[in-house]
Amino acid sequence: MTYVIALPCVDVKDRACVDECPVDCIYEGERSLYIHPDECVDCGACEPVCPVEAIYYEDDLPEQWSEYYRANVDFFEEIGSPGGAAKTGVLTFDHPLIAALPPQA
Ligand code: F3S
Ligand code: F3S
C-alpha cells in the first residue's frame, strides 16, 4: 500500500510534505510531486502537512482522483526505485495525465 499525491498538488508544489517523509520517497516532477509506491512506508506523516490536501492513503483517494494512483505508480516506470529523491533531484518530466492538464490556478 502507499500514499498518493492527487490533482491539488499540480502547479502548487508546496513541498511541505518532502520535509516530513522519513524515507525521502516523494519525488519532484515538473508540475507535481509523486510518491514512490514501493519506497513509501505508509507512515502518514506527509498527509496532514499538505496545505491543499493533495495527499491520500490509496484506499481513501477521492473517486474523482482515482487515476492519480496509477499516475504516481507509472511515474516511476522508467526510473525504477532510486532509493531517495535526493539522489535524482528535480525530474524534468511528468506523468502524461498531469502533463496534459491545463495550467492550474
Ligand atoms: Fe504537493 Fe502538497 Fe506536497 S502541494 S508538494 S503534495 S505539500
Ligand atoms: Fe513518506 Fe510516510 Fe508519506 S513514507 S510519502 S511521509 S506516508
Side-chain angles (χ1 to χ4, degrees):
M1 302 299 267
T2 183
Y3 277 71
V4 172
I5 294 181
L7 176 67
C9 181
V10 179
D11 296 336
V12 174
K13 299 210 303 187
D14 180 86
R15 297 185 187 83
C17 56
V18 173
D19 295 333
E20 297 301 321
C21 183
V23 294
D24 194 29
C25 72
I26 308 179
Y27 292 73
E28 184 169 351
E30 255 177 18
R31 297 181 61 193
S32 181
L33 279 79
Y34 303 84
I35 294 176
H36 197 299
D38 299 328
E39 296 178 0
C40 175
V41 296
D42 293 348
C43 72
C46 55
E47 188 246 302
V49 301
C50 176
V52 294
E53 294 183 37
I55 306 177
Y56 296 87
Y57 187 56
E58 66 170 274
D59 284 350
D60 299 331
L61 200 55
E63 179 63 32
Q64 74 267 29
W65 296 328
S66 58
E67 57 205 350
Y68 282 80
Y69 170 76
R70 288 268 19 127
N72 280 247
V73 171
D74 293 346
F75 180 76
F76 297 98
E77 217 165 51
E78 304 231 323
I79 61 173
S81 190
K87 292 183 184 156
T88 66
V90 182
L91 297 157
T92 56
F93 60 94
D94 279 298
H95 184 272
L97 173 79
I98 283 125
L101 289 169
Q104 304 294 299

